[in-house]
Amino acid sequence: MSTPALPRLGPPGPFPHAPLAHPLDRKWLHYAFLSRCGRQALIANLSVLGSSTGPVFAHPGAPATGRRSGTGTAAEGQHMAILLLYAEGHGWSASQFNAEQPELPWSAFRLPHPHGEPGAFRVAARSAAPAVDVRLTRTSRPCTSQCAPFGDDEHLRWQSEPGVLGAGTLRYGDGTATETDLLGYHERVRGRWSWPTLGGWVFGFVNDPSGPTGTAPPSAVVFTLIQPAYPADAANGSVMLWRDGRMVRHFPRRNLRVAVSGTLDRDRVVMVPPLAGLLGTPPMAAVPGRLLITARLGDDRLVLDFRPHTAGRIANPSETSLHPFSVHETLGPCTVEGRVGGRRIGFRTGGIVEFAGGAHD
């Protein structure tokens, strides 16, 4: 006697089939990777924004009508995509916000999605470079979804999954290309917010690359700190630790201490997309030269010490203010040490940290 298959729970993803019902409703897919050798980085953001004419059923990815990113109609929402690459000796290169993207982009949150099955991920500037043609593979499980309410009726929900493996071709802005192995992070974000009210955030991740190739990293850490403009108690954040692909500890905001010191030399900050420099984009506050996060919960303790050496500043247009919302994608060495669940943790490798804000007029 055969047993009937059980129904799958939840939406096929990566987002629920719910409309963008407000002009400031948004959905984002975020990808960030470092090469195992530490000399290259890949960062991509794919997004869709709601419409002022009514509800829109849309997800990140190329519009179904085949229209270009950045040129969507009111019925499609505003689809955007930007790609950043970094390599030692090449520096930063980036597309505009209208990068070529797949209609159904790879996502760890698209179900069913078993571990160990690679999928294609291709994003390219309209000028053909920079571009990426890689295959991504999930090895881990995501954290629980988190939500930050703020402002008068705004919110941001996000869910993270580290330990994503990648392999393929990175083509830089000067046309040169390299084949590389990648280890990184994927995130889905949705909500309703204006950039000035969101205020700013500090977000980052680090994967321990010392494990066997093709498996989940022995340890991975993801941290977030969101600092909305109001109300006064709206700040939100967390530090999360994964072991061998499973999250084993979540430190909430009240158990965190965050400190910064020094500044990153402004000559090490490159503004993107390329047209941003032609539009009179004003300067931003300096990027910290060191970020120190300490998390404690009972007998568990975790310390992250990050020191950026370069940054790509994404000047995101703001719908409700003149100043852009700037996201500084910073790269640099990160030291992680502590003790969780009676086991010591300690490693040093490259990390990616975002310092974001500046949209207030």
Side-chain angles (χ1 to χ4, degrees):
M1 179 176 179
S2 62
T3 301
L6 295 176
R8 295 189 181 275
L9 300 179
F15 296 98
H17 187 63
L20 299 166
H22 187 276
L24 296 178
D25 282 358
R26 309 172 193 268
K27 298 176 184 177
W28 278 34
L29 292 175
H30 177 67
Y31 308 79
F33 294 86
L34 289 167
S35 62
R36 287 188 176 271
C37 66
R39 294 191 291 270
Q40 293 97 24
L42 180 168
I43 298 165
N45 290 324
L46 315 182
S47 65
V48 62
L49 177 68
S51 170
S52 59
T53 63
V56 173
F57 282 92
H59 298 298
T65 59
R67 295 172 63 91
R68 290 185 172 185
S69 302
T71 61
T73 65
E76 298 168 334
Q78 185 74 21
H79 292 253
M80 301 177 73
I82 186 169
L83 170 68
L84 283 73
L85 292 181
Y86 175 83
E88 290 184 1
H90 297 270
W92 290 93
S93 54
S95 71
Q96 307 293 347
F97 282 111
N98 62 349
E100 297 274 8
Q101 59 176 320
E103 184 177 329
L104 293 175
W106 182 96
S107 177
F109 303 104
R110 195 181 301 282
L111 303 177
H113 196 145
H115 293 77
E117 284 194 6
F121 181 69
R122 300 182 181 94
V123 180
R126 296 287 167 179
S127 60
V132 297
D133 184 354
V134 296
R135 295 187 68 78
L136 304 180
T137 306
R138 64 185 305 226
T139 67
S140 306
R141 298 184 180 277
C143 69
T144 54
S145 179
Q146 301 177 76
C147 185
F150 50 86
D152 296 317
D153 187 23
E154 301 182 30
H155 69 282
L156 184 151
R157 297 182 64 91
W158 71 98
Q159 191 173 22
S160 311
E161 184 170 314
V164 179
L165 308 180
T169 304
L170 309 184
R171 187 173 301 277
Y172 308 105
D174 61 5
T176 59
T178 59
E179 298 287 326
T180 190
D181 290 327
L182 303 163
L183 178 57
Y185 167 94
H186 178 47
E187 178 184 49
R188 60 177 171 180
V189 182
R190 65 186 178 99
R192 176 181 300 173
W193 68 86
S194 62
W195 295 113
T197 308
L198 178 56
W201 71 58
V202 180
F203 146 83
F205 76 91
V206 58
N207 288 299
D208 181 357
S210 65
T213 301
T215 64
S219 299
V221 180
V222 176
F223 59 87
T224 56
L225 174 64
I226 299 175
Q227 299 171 297
Y230 67 94
D233 61 351
N236 206 319
S238 64
V239 170
M240 297 171 286
L241 171 69
W242 277 255
R243 279 201 188 112
D244 299 319
R246 289 183 176 269
M247 193 180 78
V248 296
R249 177 63 71 236
H250 179 280
F251 297 90
R253 176 179 63 88
R254 64 181 178 273
N255 295 97
L256 308 183
R257 297 185 64 183
V258 180
V260 296
S261 63
T263 58
L264 178 65
D265 189 326
R266 288 184 182 272
D267 289 339
R268 294 182 174 269
V269 180
V270 176
M271 187 163 60
V272 299
L275 287 177
L278 303 177
L279 300 177
T281 305
M284 266 288 295
V287 174
R290 182 182 183 187
L291 171 68
L292 188 68
I293 299 178
T294 303
R296 292 180 179 272
L297 184 61
D299 293 332
D300 294 341
R301 180 181 66 91
L302 201 61
V303 178
L304 295 89
D305 188 351
F306 175 76
R307 303 179 186 235
H309 63 72
T310 185
R313 175 193 173 190
I314 307 175
N316 287 289
S318 173
E319 298 81 17
T320 59
S321 66
L322 294 177
H323 289 178
F325 185 82
S326 293
V327 180
H328 292 85
E329 303 282 0
T330 66
L331 314 178
C334 185
T335 301
V336 178
E337 67 89 16
R339 182 175 291 274
V340 173
R343 291 173 53 182
R344 182 184 176 278
I345 299 167
F347 63 93
R348 177 181 170 85
T349 187
I352 298 181
V353 173
E354 292 183 347
F355 295 94
H360 54 278
D361 288 330

